[in-house]
Amino acid sequence: MTTQRHYSPIDRLLLQADMAMRTLLPFSGQPYRPSPAIVRPDAQMSDEDTRHVAGLMRINHTGEVCAQALYQGQALTAKLPQVRQAMEHAAEEEIDHLAWCEQRIRQLGSHPSVLNPLFYGLSFGIGAAAGLISDKVSLGFVAATEDQVCKHLNEHLEQLPAEDEKSRAILEQMRIDEEHHAETALEAGGFRFPAPVKFGMSLLAKVMTKSTYRI
């Protein structure tokens, strides 16, 4: 017979610190699934296209850093155990995306954004605040955030050079996973955010994408 361990507030803070380090330090997050890019052929791209794709993948990597922080902040303040466990499980799945994007960025001869610690801190605070308000709002925030992520992924898929099958395979699998996270959050009782709130979230997302494309 197994028993579930109950963590103290100090234990949870230490676990969050460990997860933050694994999110922000290079090559710290080990994916649970192999990258979809592995089975796709390498492509010869111009220097301009390579820099552009690296910028897009840097944006997506920072988005996954934000997703990790958001889920971890929500898990820290979630009221119901099942909601906390759902947030922690979603964060584990996002580790795959984080690692895949970082691997692709390195393959393209570039680097993740130096702004990641800043966006991690902001996202963690937003997630923790949403969890403090209510689990329904917290789950609704997940759904609204994933909707924004899917829009960005669709835009990036349109911008990728046709020959870059590796990046395309990664983004297509990410889109499938993100859509599933959004649906799961709403099915669990998440609040459907009104259009003005989603518009505000999209403006914040644009700040992130503009700033991390190059740095």
Side-chain angles (χ1 to χ4, degrees):
M1 179 177 177
T2 59
T3 58
Q4 184 177 0
R5 180 176 177 182
H6 295 282
Y7 293 101
S8 70
I10 297 298
D11 289 334
R12 291 196 174 278
L13 285 174
L14 291 173
L15 287 170
Q16 293 298 333
D18 176 68
M19 293 177 74
M21 295 297 288
R22 288 192 285 121
T23 299
L24 295 171
L25 290 178
F27 299 110
S28 296
Q30 295 300 316
Y32 295 91
R33 296 171 291 175
S35 172
I38 291 177
V39 296
R40 300 300 177 95
D42 288 312
Q44 293 295 324
M45 295 188 290
S46 67
D47 291 344
E48 182 180 358
D49 281 347
T50 299
R51 286 192 296 270
H52 179 55
V53 174
L56 296 180
M57 296 307 291
R58 184 160 39 247
I59 290 171
N60 291 309
H61 181 267
T62 297
E64 294 307 317
V65 168
C66 293
Q68 281 288 312
L70 179 68
Y71 285 130
Q72 290 162 15
Q74 290 170 312
L76 187 66
T77 57
K79 308 289 191 303
L80 297 175
Q82 59 267 33
V83 173
R84 180 181 300 113
Q85 291 167 10
M87 296 298 179
E88 291 171 345
H89 178 66
E92 290 177 357
E93 291 186 344
E94 297 286 358
I95 289 175
D96 287 348
H97 302 169
L98 190 72
W100 297 345
C101 287
E102 183 174 2
Q103 290 169 3
R104 187 60 183 144
I105 290 170
R106 303 291 184 184
Q107 290 170 357
L108 294 165
S110 194
H111 57 83
S113 175
V114 299
L115 300 176
N116 282 345
L118 170 63
F119 285 113
Y120 181 94
L122 291 173
S123 299
F124 186 91
I126 292 172
L132 285 173
I133 295 172
S134 74
D135 287 336
K136 186 174 183 177
V137 168
S138 185
L139 289 167
F141 198 84
V142 168
T145 299
E146 298 293 21
D147 284 344
Q148 294 294 326
V149 171
C150 288
K151 289 179 181 178
H152 286 147
L153 290 173
N154 287 333
E155 292 172 0
H156 290 180
L157 283 166
E158 291 179 358
Q159 295 181 47
L160 286 178
E163 63 269 25
D164 186 5
E165 295 184 29
K166 285 185 175 292
S167 299
R168 186 171 303 278
I170 292 171
L171 298 190
E172 286 177 345
Q173 184 59 53
M174 286 173 59
R175 182 174 60 184
I176 292 171
D177 294 343
E178 306 296 8
E179 288 174 346
H180 176 68
H181 290 164
E183 292 170 359
T184 300
L186 291 175
E187 289 171 359
F191 176 73
R192 291 183 181 272
F193 282 20
V197 175
K198 288 187 175 181
F199 178 73
M201 292 174 66
S202 68
L203 292 179
L204 291 175
K206 286 182 179 179
V207 172
M208 184 273 283
T209 57
K210 294 292 185 182
S211 59
T212 59
Y213 178 76
R214 297 190 184 280
I215 59 173

